[in-house]
Amino acid sequence: MPDAVSEPAVGALQVSPSEQVDGGTVTPTRTPALLVQVSDPAGKPLRAEAEIEHDPAATGQGTGQIWAGNADNVPPGTQASITVPADTLTDGWKVRWRARAISATAASAWSDWQTFTITLPKPTATGLAITPSKVVDGVTVTTTLTPALQATLTHPTGWPLRAEAEIEHDPAATGQGTGQIWAGSADNVASGTQASVPVPAGRLTDGLKVRWRLRAVTDQSASAWSDWQQVTVDVTQPGEEPLAQTAEPVIRTDQSFSVAAWLRWDDKEGDYSVVEQRGAHQAPFRLGNTRDHGLIFTLSSADTANAVHEGVLSSVEPPVNEWFHLAGIYDAAAGTASLYLNGQLVQTAPISFSAWDSPTRMLLGAVMRGGVDNARVYQKALGAGEVSDLLTMQAAAKSDPKCNCKVKDKKIDDFLNLDFTVVMHSYQGNATGGVVGGGSMLPRNIKVWTRVDNFWSDGNFLEELIGGDGIDDEALNKTLSLQLKVTGGSTACSVVASNADNSGASRTARVEKWVDNGDNEFTIRSMDGNVSRCTIEPWLTYDNPDPGSRDRQTLPGWGHPAWVDANPERLRETAPRVRCDNLPMGGAVEYYKGGCIFSAAKRVLVLNSWNYDYGQVARHIQTAFTKPSTTVPFKTDGPKHIPGNRNAGERTPEREPLTRILSSSSRYSQNRTAKDKVCKEFFSDRPLESNGAPEDEWQECDGYPFASTKEGGAYDHPEYGKNNFSVQAVLGRHNSIAGSDLGVFFARYRVLNGNKFWVAVR
């Protein structure tokens, strides 16, 4: 029988990888494979040939053939794969290709042209921000000449990225130049993380109005440039920065509140703000001074650039070069703002709008030049009598209330004023028995720093005291004493090192020595053993060096000096207490072995709703806090009261703390069971491995309050009953990371079984 005649043919042309988009073929790579089914009755191996050229219908990319390639020894009836080499195709091109099969004796006709488009996966740059910055009346302002330009870079396939940024003069600004100022980049940014491109020194100047943009770049593609971001460079000058700030909001500014402080200003023309809890555009209230209206206490209607301001514009000039007491009272129920100067009501003004809440950190001495002391904030509207009492309590130094201390000499009718500052610091153990962050400290050490400074007096009292005319030298040597009293503890707590007398817990010296050097440093150790609780009381004592005087006064390094005589019980109750333990914490790994915490410190788990790793869990908890009635399980016997919210109003059930329990307890299992029951009822159709969902879409049910708390899903509140919890399906990886972070929080803050803590969501 004669051999079959060779008649090669091709069919089933494909591009791999590819997908159909709007009726056309699109490949996400510049090196696709051209797949061709070859056949021949003769049954001999074939050669597959392919060629690519520019699509004649495309514009702006070139014409004619781009490349030709082949695959040899392809068995008939099989699929040939011809890979396009790198650097042949370009992102965005529209091309066409065809193929044919060739045997030893014949060749097929070329196939019909096949078209496809090269569209590479594009990275994205989102969440643009410049730091540090703030928004003032709708304008973004950076307070430094070397800010960082930031954005979250993401690539669909997880490739590492480069962030490219550029800054130019704002075209709308005049008198400062035009065009590009600087361009820079940051390499090897992991997909899904925040890139930070720092602006080097020497590029920006104070007062410039600029704009900047950023894009994400890979070796093969780049995102589009972001929209231009306008920013004004306004470097913070001395006196413009806050004197202090809190880590968390202190009050809810949409409820009644009172703010008060002792102030000393060098001028009456300053545009000052004493205490702020500022939003994005406005501060919800302002206590301070303006050039046109003198002392003021006002509220803003909304966190917008065009907000209305109402309140007290007193036209009363502030005292200059002397200490005075200023208080602002907002009464939400009455809709009024009141301003007090030195305990006397200056004016009460109506507020026609409802106040709004700014859940941000509080700034002390937000914008002012001068001194501030004894700032007090209350989540209620103080009455006139309470303001007067506050004034009396704070004026411990009658001639100069900037100090929490008064030492009166009976021989010389005058006052000695000084500042007494105490800072205490505890440590966290690591996995090897040292402390987190390294150093020579041990997990059960406590560091105490004290400073006695800013001595001054009316008249010549300080000079005479230092000079000691007619006063016994030995008495002068004992004028001022510092003692660190350490008590309590199931195992001994004691001072083990210091730079005080004989490396002990006290220092006694004449005032002259304290003026020369008022700093002292103490190391306290709670000896290894069981859980130990110790009280640390720093005291400063003044002994009048006049032999005929019995004037002896003591000043505590905590609480209020007036409590020494007026409220000694409260002074004892508020003394700094530290609790130390050796327990290994942090899950199975046990990273944190031992540590000390201050018992009075509030333990707050802070979650960020925008966090890339656990944001869905944070947003679930935020919903549980702000819209509990919309969460499941539904509650039919009254409103839901979900506890643990650090930002809730004082004395509300939502502000009640959570109580930690151990995962080995029966309550923990009951909480998990209650959560799983709700999960099965409401989220049974969530993406799971069992129903074929991609792994990165698998969801788990998150429960709040946590199963590791007494207040979890199984809790039956004695007043509010059951179902005061929330369950929500979230991405499994978010739930897992949030759970791990909770364990780390327990370890770092030494939250043991039965300890209280709160949650704050930003």
Side-chain angles (χ1 to χ4, degrees), residues 30 91 119-123 155-156 159 161-162 215-223:
R30 294 196 299 166
D91 184 28
T119 303
L120 302 182
K122 298 299 189 296
H155 194 279
W159 293 354
L161 300 134
R162 180 174 71 255
R215 68 175 180 174
V217 181
T218 69
D219 292 338
Q220 296 195 16
S221 64
S223 70

Side-chain angles (χ1 to χ4, degrees), residues 286-429:
R286 182 178 177 186
L287 176 68
N289 186 75
T290 70
R291 178 189 297 269
D292 297 330
H293 300 290
L295 296 171
I296 66 168
F297 177 60
T298 60
L299 280 77
S300 62
S301 60
D303 192 14
T304 59
N306 59 352
V308 175
H309 296 80
E310 295 179 354
V312 178
L313 304 174
S314 73
S315 298
V316 174
E317 294 182 349
V320 176
N321 292 322
E322 65 180 80
W323 287 89
F324 64 95
H325 190 263
L326 197 64
I329 315 297
Y330 172 59
D331 189 327
T336 59
S338 300
L339 179 68
Y340 288 80
L341 174 61
N342 290 329
Q344 299 298 314
L345 177 65
V346 175
Q347 185 181 335
T348 295
I351 304 295
S352 65
F353 47 77
S354 297
W356 54 279
D357 184 41
S358 175
T360 60
R361 64 182 60 188
M362 177 167 281
L363 306 180
L364 176 63
V367 181
M368 56 166 278
R369 295 184 180 182
V372 59
D373 192 34
N374 269 316
R376 300 294 178 94
V377 182
Y378 301 88
Q379 193 70 71
K380 67 174 185 176
L382 296 178
E386 291 175 301
V387 174
S388 179
D389 291 343
L390 181 63
L391 181 75
T392 302
M393 180 181 71
Q394 291 184 332
K398 187 175 181 181
S399 66
D400 183 5
K402 78 165 186 173
C403 297
N404 283 340
C405 53
K406 179 189 73 174
V407 179
K408 182 178 180 182
D409 186 286
K410 292 185 177 180
K411 177 182 178 183
I412 307 173
D413 191 14
D414 214 328
F415 295 91
L416 173 65
N417 299 273
L418 54 85
D419 287 342
F420 183 25
T421 305
V422 180
V423 176
M424 300 186 186
H425 183 69
S426 62
Y427 296 88
Q428 175 76 60

